[in-house]
Amino acid sequence: MKHVTIKDIAKELSVAVSTVSRAFNDKYDIKPETRDRILKKAAEMGYRPNPIARKLVQQRSFNIGIIIPEFENSFFPQVIMGAQEILYQHNYQVLIMQSNESVDLEVRNAKTLVDNMVDGLIISLSGVGNNISYYKELIGKKMPLVFFNRVPENIEASKVVFDDYKWAFFATEHLIHQGFEDILFISGADELILSKNRQRGYDDAHKKHRIPTGKKITCGFSMQDGVQIAENLISKNNIPRAILAANDACAIGMIRVFKDSGFKIPEDIAIVGFSETKMAAHISPTLTSVEQPTYEIGKAAAQLLLEQLQNKGIHIPQTIVLNGRLNVRESSVVLS
Amino acid sequence: MKHVTIKDIAKELSVAVSTVSRAFNDKYDIKPETRDRILKKAAEMGYRPNPIARKLVQQRSFNIGIIIPEFENSFFPQVIMGAQEILYQHNYQVLIMQSNESVDLEVRNAKTLVDNMVDGLIISLSGVGNNISYYKELIGKKMPLVFFNRVPENIEASKVVFDDYKWAFFATEHLIHQGFEDILFISGADELILSKNRQRGYDDAHKKHRIPTGKKITCGFSMQDGVQIAENLISKNNIPRAILAANDACAIGMIRVFKDSGFKIPEDIAIVGFSETKMAAHISPTLTSVEQPTYEIGKAAAQLLLEQLQNKGIHIPQTIVLNGRLNVRESSVVLS
DNA sequence: ATTATTTTCGGAAACGTTTCTGAAAACGTT
DNA sequence: AACGTTTTCAGAAACGTTTCCGAAAATAAT
């Protein structure tokens, strides 16, 4: 893997390396003719600038790191594609790492990325733990950073989140409108703002309609989590009339278990998911779900990051709250 | 973002930088006491080695690049997780890039990764084009490289693939056993070996049972592709009795269109998917699908790469063929 | 023609490591 | 005590760039 370097070009043309360097970054004084001569020769020799060397001296990389908790749901991949679209336009490359829902792996990922001199970081938390203090440290060092979706609470940083309060409220209200009163709330990890906001939405919808709230169960975001909870409910013969699930995967897991045990959805149990995976419209019954604007979340995060990148750390942390939509389908509607 | 460097430690302890460096890579002569002294001081000062500088001099990075065509299906994320598991064990970091099904973006990705001095590359093709010659060049330069799933044909390289021939054969035979004779074959892009192998399997199953083969349509791997083809078939009133789809996404897209147009699955049209996405067991009707061992594909690819890494380019290209399973579900079975 | 100004470029330092070369220090051998 | 070995370290070069500084060449001004 021998590469052509700037020196080879310099020697070939008997100019200084600094001149060759200037030819590539026009910002410096260089005679157009010699620049063209160098550029031509470079192309001829198949020269590609070595980003590693450049990083070392410039202390920047034009790389952005994105850290996500998991790959299983299509949610995060879609957010990434949104972010990529914006960042590519500004000549940033995107490095993706996934933390497998582990806080430790997450900070290890973050550290590798930082060591590799990414110019900025876009992060969705796997959980809350010793990662927070590390992120605070990074922010203290003016590292451009934006959180999305699963964001930390007590940290001064730019964030882009979904309006979980509002849509948990609407989703709950939708179930109430259908006449259900015993609505189980499946929450994501308690420490996430996201969970708290949904909880408030759920509570307030009950308050508005003067109905006592149902139970709450804390759960992860995978199908497996849904399966476990459903099995648990069945074994305890503790079947709610309706369920507001943590996300679609969780909802789908539950539905399968319930169906296998002879329950009818929505006749016996109604259910609403969250995040609108592509599955929602295709499973049986089709799943009512709160749709999140995944691409837009990615784009917004990228844009916030770009701002920070341009202002070199001096910026006011903002939180962008994005709106969604409730896609009503079979799983929550009983015709009476 | 000011970092503690090896020099700072050297100054602090008034030793040479080379000594500090030796302390971190034991392979060199250094007195245990001074090594410990340095290590302790380094930890105290919060030193983290700069991988960029190391890459520059060592000309290697302990990074592996993985390039995939798309993120939409859970297939590739799962393969990645399998590969990660193995590579992490050997202290390699994994950098993921996605090519959006574009051959051009794919080689751009590959070049960035190479420029960033990844030690090896694991690639699934977005298509066949000018990328192939670039990969041949890389292999000529002894860059460790392994292809998986969507692999190129005329290229001497390690590959890990699924036994598409066998399982296309079985899937076709399964449909024939159900009594269907007009079986539409939806192929992936023609240039992929994968497509050719499936075609052979499909053909041979027909031969074995002395049935004339049905039509073939070439298609992409997304749900949208399935939707288009199904709409096309309907508008031309050209409805097959059964379908062997390119993958689950494609099958699901078709199913939705057919159902919306009043066709019954499997009574009017039977269908078999490929790749066993998590959706398969949950859509309505549940989808018969050929299951591929995604994690194992990732693991195998990682292992092949590790071999090359250890043997420094001297290796015999091998092709690992992995086996699968046919999950028979409602979409292909008519009770008569 | 002389000087002042601008344009263009070469030389060298710097980024943070690893690694080569060789020298000093410690030890052993006779 | 003199010499040979081994252990331990310091110094410097190298990796491929960018960028600072200043000098030479070209141009403009007097």
Side-chain angles (χ1 to χ4, degrees):
Chain A
M1 298 295 316
K2 188 59 193 162
H3 275 151
V4 180
T5 80
I6 219 175
K7 284 185 193 165
D8 300 327
I9 302 176
K11 198 176 294 170
E12 197 79 11
L13 259 38
S14 38
V15 297
V17 290
S18 51
T19 310
V20 179
S21 175
R22 272 189 290 259
F24 283 97
N25 324 287
D26 314 298
K27 51 180 173 174
Y28 276 88
D29 329 315
I30 190 170
K31 187 155 57 174
E33 307 158 31
T34 61
R35 189 196 50 209
D36 294 345
R37 202 160 55 100
I38 290 172
L39 258 34
K40 185 158 157 271
K41 192 65 169 186
E44 203 177 301
M45 296 173 71
Y47 168 73
R48 302 205 91 224
N50 182 331
I52 306 266
R54 180 181 290 160
K55 278 184 224 188
L56 189 59
V57 36
Q58 294 198 142
Q59 305 281 48
R60 66 177 303 191
S61 65
F62 273 97
N63 286 161
I64 299 298
I66 301 186
I67 302 179
I68 59 172
E70 48 102 350
F71 258 156
E72 300 276 337
N73 297 305
S74 58
F75 178 83
F76 289 111
Q78 281 174 21
V79 174
I80 290 176
M81 295 189 46
Q84 261 186 354
E85 192 182 319
I86 302 293
L87 292 171
Y88 275 172
Q89 287 167 13
H90 292 77
N91 288 324
Y92 284 95
Q93 291 287 346
V94 171
L95 266 27
I96 303 155
M97 300 195 84
Q98 70 97 4
S99 339
N100 234 346
E101 298 286 3
S102 148
V103 174
D104 287 340
L105 184 49
E106 181 188 307
V107 327
R108 254 173 46 213
N109 283 343
K111 286 183 178 174
T112 347
L113 254 11
V114 170
D115 288 345
N116 280 282
M117 293 188 178
V118 291
D119 297 342
L121 241 22
I122 296 179
I123 302 175
S124 189
L125 300 182
S126 281
V128 173
N130 57 347
N131 48 354
I132 302 301
S133 62
Y134 178 62
Y135 296 138
K136 284 186 177 164
E137 192 186 320
L138 282 184
I139 292 171
K141 289 182 182 168
K142 305 256 176 285
M143 166 65 89
L145 190 56
V146 5
F147 295 98
F148 73 96
N149 185 249
R150 302 210 211 153
V151 303
E153 201 159 8
N154 309 312
I155 197 167
E156 282 280 315
S158 285
K159 306 167 190 175
V160 10
V161 294
F162 179 63
D163 196 340
D164 286 280
Y165 168 79
K166 179 165 156 188
W167 291 99
F169 181 95
F170 283 163
T172 308
E173 197 169 39
H174 162 70
L175 288 169
I176 294 174
H177 282 150
Q178 302 294 310
F180 308 133
E181 300 222 338
D182 174 22
I183 304 171
L184 173 65
F185 174 53
I186 310 275
S187 170
D190 283 326
E191 67 247 28
L192 301 171
I193 306 187
L194 173 168
S195 304
K196 295 180 186 168
N197 287 339
R198 288 190 194 174
Q199 172 90 65
R200 280 197 303 118
Y202 170 86
D203 289 346
D204 285 2
H206 280 79
K207 241 175 250 165
K208 175 176 171 192
H209 293 274
R210 297 163 205 271
I211 296 177
T213 59
K215 282 218 185 142
K216 172 190 146 191
I217 299 180
T218 299
C219 156
F221 290 105
S222 78
M223 215 162 80
Q224 193 47 39
D225 291 311
V227 168
Q228 271 178 14
I229 288 185
E231 282 170 350
N232 216 325
L233 289 172
I234 291 172
S235 76
K236 292 188 178 159
N237 196 23
N238 197 348
I239 310 297
R241 183 61 192 88
I243 298 173
L244 177 59
N247 68 354
D248 280 11
C250 172
I252 290 170
M254 298 186 77
I255 288 178
R256 189 183 65 194
V257 173
F258 285 133
K259 276 171 61 179
D260 288 354
S261 296
F263 292 96
K264 287 215 183 306
I265 314 286
E267 290 79 1
D268 297 326
I269 308 168
I271 189 161
V272 173
F274 233 99
S275 296
E276 177 67 9
T277 57
K278 273 177 301 179
M279 282 189 247
H282 297 282
I283 62 160
S284 172
T286 55
L287 178 65
T288 298
S289 183
V290 172
E291 180 174 346
Q292 300 195 38
T294 47
Y295 281 85
E296 274 61 38
I297 293 176
K299 286 186 188 171
Q303 241 126 19
L304 281 184
L305 195 70
L306 283 173
E307 267 179 46
Q308 295 188 38
L309 253 12
Q310 274 145 21
N311 301 349
K312 271 285 170 197
I314 313 145
H315 76 286
I316 327 122
Q318 350 176 7
T319 296
I320 294 184
V321 180
L322 290 171
N323 218 331
R325 182 168 59 183
L326 180 67
N327 294 319
V328 177
R329 301 201 181 85
E330 297 165 358
S331 71
S332 65
V333 180
V334 282
L335 307 172
S336 54
Chain B
M1 298 296 318
K2 187 60 194 165
H3 276 149
V4 181
T5 81
I6 220 176
K7 283 186 194 168
D8 300 326
I9 303 176
K11 200 175 296 171
E12 198 79 9
L13 258 39
S14 37
V15 297
V17 291
S18 54
T19 309
V20 180
S21 175
R22 273 189 293 260
F24 283 97
N25 324 286
D26 315 296
K27 51 182 172 176
Y28 277 89
D29 328 316
I30 188 168
K31 189 156 56 174
E33 309 158 31
T34 62
R35 190 195 50 208
D36 295 344
R37 201 161 52 99
I38 290 172
L39 258 33
K40 185 158 156 274
K41 192 66 169 182
E44 204 177 301
M45 296 173 70
Y47 168 75
R48 303 205 92 223
N50 181 332
I52 306 265
R54 180 182 290 160
K55 277 184 222 186
L56 189 58
V57 37
Q58 294 198 140
Q59 305 281 45
R60 65 176 304 188
S61 65
F62 273 97
N63 286 161
I64 300 298
I66 300 186
I67 303 179
I68 60 172
E70 48 102 348
F71 259 155
E72 300 276 338
N73 298 305
S74 59
F75 177 83
F76 288 111
Q78 281 173 22
V79 174
I80 290 176
M81 294 188 48
Q84 262 187 351
E85 192 182 319
I86 303 293
L87 292 171
Y88 275 173
Q89 287 167 13
H90 292 77
N91 288 325
Y92 284 96
Q93 291 288 347
V94 171
L95 266 27
I96 303 154
M97 301 196 81
Q98 69 98 3
S99 335
N100 231 346
E101 299 286 4
S102 146
V103 173
D104 287 339
L105 184 49
E106 182 188 307
V107 326
R108 253 171 49 212
N109 284 341
K111 287 184 179 175
T112 348
L113 254 11
V114 170
D115 289 343
N116 280 283
M117 294 188 178
V118 290
D119 297 342
L121 240 21
I122 296 179
I123 303 175
S124 188
L125 301 181
S126 282
V128 172
N130 56 345
N131 48 354
I132 301 301
S133 61
Y134 178 62
Y135 296 139
K136 284 187 176 163
E137 192 186 320
L138 282 184
I139 291 171
K141 289 181 184 169
K142 304 255 177 287
M143 166 65 88
L145 189 56
V146 5
F147 294 98
F148 73 96
N149 184 249
R150 301 209 211 154
V151 303
E153 201 157 10
N154 308 313
I155 197 166
E156 283 279 316
S158 284
K159 306 167 190 176
V160 10
V161 292
F162 179 63
D163 197 341
D164 287 281
Y165 169 78
K166 180 166 154 188
W167 291 100
F169 182 95
F170 283 162
T172 308
E173 198 169 39
H174 162 70
L175 287 170
I176 293 174
H177 282 151
Q178 300 296 310
F180 307 133
E181 302 223 337
D182 174 21
I183 303 172
L184 173 64
F185 174 51
I186 310 276
S187 169
D190 284 326
E191 66 247 27
L192 301 171
I193 307 186
L194 171 167
S195 303
K196 294 179 185 166
N197 288 339
R198 289 191 193 172
Q199 172 91 64
R200 280 195 305 116
Y202 169 87
D203 289 345
D204 285 2
H206 280 78
K207 244 176 244 163
K208 176 178 170 191
H209 293 273
R210 297 163 205 271
I211 295 178
T213 58
K215 280 216 185 146
K216 171 189 146 194
I217 298 180
T218 300
C219 158
F221 290 105
S222 79
M223 214 163 81
Q224 193 48 39
D225 291 312
V227 168
Q228 271 178 13
I229 288 185
E231 282 171 349
N232 216 324
L233 290 172
I234 292 174
S235 76
K236 292 187 177 160
N237 196 23
N238 198 348
I239 310 296
R241 182 60 191 89
I243 298 173
L244 178 59
N247 69 352
D248 280 12
C250 172
I252 290 170
M254 298 186 78
I255 288 177
R256 188 184 65 194
V257 173
F258 286 134
K259 275 171 61 178
D260 288 354
S261 296
F263 292 96
K264 287 215 182 303
I265 316 284
E267 291 78 3
D268 298 325
I269 308 168
I271 189 161
V272 173
F274 234 97
S275 295
E276 178 66 9
T277 55
K278 275 176 300 180
M279 283 189 249
H282 297 282
I283 60 160
S284 171
T286 55
L287 179 65
T288 297
S289 183
V290 173
E291 180 174 345
Q292 300 194 38
T294 47
Y295 282 86
E296 274 60 38
I297 293 175
K299 286 186 188 172
Q303 240 125 19
L304 282 184
L305 195 69
L306 283 173
E307 268 179 48
Q308 295 187 37
L309 254 10
Q310 273 144 22
N311 301 350
K312 271 286 169 199
I314 312 144
H315 76 285
I316 327 125
Q318 350 177 8
T319 297
I320 295 184
V321 179
L322 290 171
N323 218 331
R325 182 166 61 182
L326 180 65
N327 294 319
V328 178
R329 300 203 182 83
E330 298 165 357
S331 71
S332 66
V333 179
V334 282
L335 308 172
S336 55

